[in-house]
Amino acid sequence: MIRAVTEQRRGSPMIVLFTDFGLEGPYTGQVKAVLFRTAPGIPVVELFADAPAGRPKPAAYLLAAYGVWFPPGTVFLAVIDPGVGGPRLPVIVEAEGRWHVGPDNGLFELVMRRAESVRTWEILWRPETLSASFHGRDLFAPIVARLARGELPDHEPRAPGIGRQTDWPDDLSEIVYVDRYGNAMTGLRGNLLSNDARLVVSGCTLRRASTFSDVQPGEAFWYENSNGLAEIAVNAGRAADALRLAIGSPIAVLR
Amino acid sequence: MIRAVTEQRRGSPMIVLFTDFGLEGPYTGQVKAVLFRTAPGIPVVELFADAPAGRPKPAAYLLAAYGVWFPPGTVFLAVIDPGVGGPRLPVIVEAEGRWHVGPDNGLFELVMRRAESVRTWEILWRPETLSASFHGRDLFAPIVARLARGELPDHEPRAPGIGRQTDWPDDLSEIVYVDRYGNAMTGLRGNLLSNDARLVVSGCTLRRASTFSDVQPGEAFWYENSNGLAEIAVNAGRAADALRLAIGSPIAVLR
Amino acid sequence: MIRAVTEQRRGSPMIVLFTDFGLEGPYTGQVKAVLFRTAPGIPVVELFADAPAGRPKPAAYLLAAYGVWFPPGTVFLAVIDPGVGGPRLPVIVEAEGRWHVGPDNGLFELVMRRAESVRTWEILWRPETLSASFHGRDLFAPIVARLARGELPDHEPRAPGIGRQTDWPDDLSEIVYVDRYGNAMTGLRGNLLSNDARLVVSGCTLRRASTFSDVQPGEAFWYENSNGLAEIAVNAGRAADALRLAIGSPIAVLR
């Protein structure tokens, strides 16, 4: 699958994990063990270990927003994979110099759609031992490690139709993530919304603010978060609790 | 306790943490600080930070199943230690080239029982400052670091009777871990159960499947997980919630 | 802000994170990505990712107790920052060779008060892009990385009045942290309390013990924990649940 030929890469290699594996149980640890053994010395960063569990659609908007913060040369192991062990294909997606490895269930749809240049490969390599339920460890992590070392797929990329979900919108009017402070991220890019745009959730209409300290304690608002997503928050409070928001909650935009 | 003599080891050294310390609070961080200082450059992997809290018995079956996935040369800091500060002994267990450091409360019973070759040492070394409640940091981590660097105990191993719990069964018919997806791992090795074996939990009789995509959404089943344990799951659901399973829940096997 | 001049430092550099960012979501991962890029090869330890959320006062007592365990030369990224984006100042605090970077909201008050020598700088440097809500990533992490590499502020330290909360007590008679075992740490230093001192919480009067195995299962007590704080615990139980303790719960001391 991978040949020992080094492509000239821009940027410094770093491996970034975007999964629903959690950190405390055995899954991330085993993935990191594979990466440390196969790509020694390359830093591994856990970006999300609590991405939307088993839900590639909201995860796709989250990955697209957070991935572009990393420089070209970064290799993402992105695994939200409810169909593991079934017929879905394992893929490599290279988009503007960032490499992504994971299942073809739409998780990379927004990364591909927003990139100027995209190459896609089906992963044909299989390990000697492939468990039915943990491709993150057995199949994706070895590929990630070899890409991070500068190796390349040994066959031609496919036309980038693999793993597409062309019916998904460019921005998703839903909650895609709730963080530990109770802030609720949407699948909407903040810079595409006007300063006057209001978001309607759970019957409440929220105006935009720059950040928490711009509003009164207890007041709900939305703002463009540090990775560009419109995010619903309450100053000194928990927006998701106050407004009963969870992944998938719908949002209306008043422009 | 440890002499600066290097034994020829197979495999690459890696330090693996198996604890109930959690990751977000201060315990794992302080252990890693000791390891980074004392064994610089050796990778540290958190395998379980949420192993069964204060319960060495289910933890022992979990450790035995997950530890053998790592190559010889790996050093495990394994601390489930409800008796810290009491009379239990600190030990080193070497089993088929894997090194384990922790308390002698039975946590290594299944590792020892399943290994072809075992050596065991009581840890006689004591640090200058030994807290009463955090031997993971003060006593076990320095020993782990020195073993990972290739140092060896400076006295003869004891007969491997230390820390044994010979009355524990070879496989445990109980839930030993519930993961973040709500899947419930048993202490039973899947490859010792026939394809027709059924597991009875909470009054439900479950058949074997290969993996999630082999059954209908919402259907409960059991399968051999990626580290060899029989695991109870629900496709697109949470088995532990649906079947009211927790660590210690009993299982009956119909062969 | 920082000049490329190396000060002779004692001890080995290590970066320590003390935040309320959590580990599973995107915040700690992005901070670590900045640190790995800017200070490659320097170990990063997560000490607390669940320090008291948005509450600098209890966090200050926790940081002071846990920070001194680390050797001089350690650089702390300490961010409990409810006023991010507002007028609070970003600061560097050097106390007995340990470096601290974060907001001037009192988080370093006890570190400063207990140190024999302190230097304080306002951070004047600003990154090209500074988000309104994530100074931990954009402002504090780059400074931490450069301090860890041995660089120094390029202007004179201020008199150490910046960020002080001189009205806070020397020891805080409140719960400052509840750990995963349900143990409740106080803001009181155990070595300043007599062996006969009793702590009164939720109407219960607790005596001192050396550690868990000194009392009966189910019995509540207090002890000096492995970092010197008086901590309330129940042998084989969860003190915070049994005694209804949370961060901020008051404690009375009977000496």
Side-chain angles (χ1 to χ4, degrees), chain C residues 90-231:
Chain C
V91 295
I92 299 170
V93 173
E94 183 266 323
E96 296 181 348
R98 294 178 194 90
W99 295 79
H100 308 76
V101 178
D104 76 335
N105 56 19
L107 186 54
F108 306 122
E109 170 63 25
L110 278 301
V111 167
M112 288 192 267
R113 197 183 299 181
R114 294 178 189 172
E116 295 201 357
S117 66
V118 173
R119 290 184 292 173
T120 317
W121 292 264
E122 182 187 338
I123 298 172
L124 303 174
W125 175 81
R126 291 294 179 277
E128 273 183 50
T129 306
L130 176 64
S131 66
S133 56
F134 198 4
H135 289 195
R137 176 191 73 187
D138 298 335
L139 180 56
F140 296 130
I143 296 288
V144 163
R146 291 151 81 179
L147 289 169
R149 290 187 329 212
E151 298 183 26
L152 279 180
D154 63 1
H155 56 100
E156 291 303 304
R158 290 168 61 137
I162 194 175
R164 300 303 301 260
Q165 298 280 355
T166 52
D167 56 324
W168 290 1
D170 285 345
D171 289 79
L172 188 66
S173 297
E174 295 178 9
I175 300 302
V176 299
Y177 183 73
V178 176
D179 78 6
R180 71 186 278 115
Y181 307 103
N183 301 331
M185 297 180 193
T186 74
L188 304 165
R189 286 167 288 182
N191 66 354
L192 300 185
L193 298 172
S194 75
N195 279 337
D196 298 329
R198 284 158 294 153
L199 300 187
V200 184
V201 287
S202 304
C204 296
T205 302
L206 309 178
R207 67 178 183 89
R208 186 178 195 144
S210 289
T211 188
F212 292 76
S213 52
D214 282 356
V215 303
Q216 297 299 315
E219 187 178 347
F221 64 102
W222 77 268
Y223 76 115
E224 184 179 336
N225 79 10
S226 55
N227 287 81
L229 292 178
E231 178 173 310

Side-chain angles (χ1 to χ4, degrees), chain A residues 86-116:
Chain A
R88 67 98 186 95
L89 297 177
V91 295
I92 299 171
V93 173
E94 184 267 322
E96 296 181 349
R98 295 179 193 89
W99 295 79
H100 309 76
V101 178
D104 77 335
N105 56 20
L107 185 55
F108 306 122
E109 171 62 26
L110 278 300
V111 166
M112 289 193 266
R113 199 183 299 179
R114 295 178 187 172
E116 296 200 357

